[in-house]
Amino acid sequence: MTVTPAISEPLAAERAAHRDPNVLRWLGAYAASMVGDNVYYLALTWAAVQAGTPAQAGFVAAVSAVPRALLMLGGGVLADRFGPRKVVIGSDAVRCAAVLAVAALLFTTTPGLWPLALLALVFGTVDAVFMPAVGALPARITGRGQLTRVQGMRGLAIRFANVVGAPLGGLGIALGGPAAAFGLAGLLIAVSVPLLVSLRVADLPGDGRAAERPTAWSDLRDGLRYIRGHRVLAPLIVAIALGDLGFVGPLNVGLTLLADERGWGASGVGWVLAGFGVGAGAAALLLAVRGGLPHAGRVMAVTILAGSVAVGALAYVPNVVAAVGVAVLIGLLTGLSGALCGALLQTRSDPAYLGRVSSVAGIVSLGLAPLSMPLSAAAIGVWGTGPVFLVSAAVCGLGGVPALCVRDLRRAELPK
């Protein structure tokens, strides 16, 4: 594949992101890729269940997580050394080819679990490269003053993918089995490639200096030193880690166990998750429309703390209607705090380090936070939902402490 060279001059006069064709092409590529991801995961799980035992299906579904967690720091280095646009295009191309290859295999034969496990391994490995590059790309397609709006638009794309992806995957399975669903996922990911190739990408300070740096290992150490010594990014990463660690368990496995305990059933879980999605979508829409909020550091701290209180309250609501209302509030608060965290990461990072900063943030969110799910399930089995939700809420609330106590983060503002 021939990749159009990035433009070397700065982007033209900054325009509102939601009116910028360049940003809209990026948004279309990102949304198509995310919808494809959702279809892929449903197809993978369904195919694994059909081909093996539930335990084997669980193993196949978990295979992606290992390379993603282990290799993501390296993915951040690659994004900074070679440019996030090239890395994102290459990652999507590889993911598309791998998914379509398995679709073709399933159309022609019944190979068992091994190609599914191999696909999950490849997908997780490529994700480790893809995710940091995605985080580093927005700063090169729009001006700093639009990055908060871009974070809101990205959040809307994620919510859209979550809503649309599962029904599309289910339709594919109903019409042609897992092979058709994998084929659909591959085609959706393929849509993103020409859109990414057409992007105008500006060079930023620090781009093109990879040859001056001796090794990728030195890049990695330099990136970690940069984050550790940064007065905003270091406490911000701690806030993200604590917030996600306390949030992921209750809103995943904990919610299912709570619904079972209260007799809400699967439909109750669906309504609560829908409420969370509505709240998170509203937060993303707010930032996409406004393009920023004053006193970002303080607002982030307050929304983390308020969101943690709402997480703890979820275990004590009297019925499913109240649970949906609390879930809307949780989605709004955590969606707003998460988008502000992302915007501060984007705007406070030196562009030369954005890939590595994104990789560290991704590890604490996608590597450490999921560890809370089995811990939450085991703890609920011993102490019940109420105490575990309260402890999780306390951990989540600790994420607001650095934002309140570290002056530079508390006073952090977004570009206007």
Side-chain angles (χ1 to χ4, degrees), residues 64-355:
S64 292
V66 177
R68 186 185 299 127
L70 293 179
L71 302 176
M72 195 174 292
L73 283 176
V77 171
L78 288 177
D80 287 336
R81 283 183 76 86
F82 300 107
R85 178 171 172 271
K86 293 179 181 178
V87 173
V88 169
I89 291 171
S91 300
D92 263 355
V94 172
R95 296 196 309 163
C96 174
V99 173
L100 290 178
V102 170
L105 187 63
L106 291 175
F107 268 122
T108 56
T109 184
T110 306
L113 285 170
W114 70 265
L116 302 176
L118 181 61
L119 174 62
L121 185 65
V122 170
F123 217 84
T125 301
V126 177
D127 265 356
V129 178
F130 174 81
M131 291 177 177
V134 166
L137 191 56
R140 290 166 170 82
I141 62 172
T142 190
R144 289 183 75 249
Q146 296 300 314
L147 288 175
T148 306
R149 180 171 275 125
V150 168
Q151 287 297 312
M153 295 166 69
R154 183 179 177 182
L156 288 174
I158 291 172
R159 297 302 156 198
F160 172 79
N162 290 341
V163 170
V164 172
L168 275 180
L171 179 62
I173 291 171
L175 294 178
F182 277 125
L184 176 60
L187 292 176
L188 285 165
I189 296 172
V191 168
S192 70
V193 176
L195 291 172
L196 291 168
V197 170
S198 69
L199 286 181
R200 295 180 297 108
V201 182
D203 282 345
L204 297 177
D207 286 351
R209 296 182 188 170
E212 302 173 11
R213 304 192 290 266
T215 65
W217 180 248
S218 66
D219 271 4
L220 177 57
R221 289 183 297 175
D222 183 39
L224 294 176
R225 281 195 301 268
Y226 170 75
I227 295 170
R228 188 171 62 246
H230 200 288
R231 294 182 177 181
V232 172
L233 295 181
L236 182 58
I237 293 291
V238 173
I240 292 171
L242 289 170
D244 284 350
L245 193 64
F247 170 79
V248 169
L251 265 293
N252 285 274
V253 63
L255 177 59
T256 302
L257 295 174
L258 178 65
D260 181 65
E261 179 184 287
R262 300 293 181 84
W264 296 343
S267 62
V269 174
W271 280 110
V272 174
L273 289 176
F276 170 77
V278 168
L285 181 62
L286 173 67
L287 289 180
V289 172
R290 286 184 56 91
L293 291 174
H295 312 297
R298 290 188 179 91
V299 172
M300 183 192 70
V302 169
T303 50
I304 290 175
L305 292 170
S308 69
V309 173
V311 168
L314 187 60
Y316 295 93
V317 293
N319 52 54
V320 71
V321 175
V324 172
V326 172
V328 171
L329 183 61
I330 293 173
L332 180 63
L333 293 169
T334 59
L336 191 56
S337 63
L340 289 174
C341 285
L344 286 171
L345 283 174
Q346 289 280 327
T347 55
R348 290 291 174 151
S349 298
D350 184 317
Y353 291 92
L354 260 174

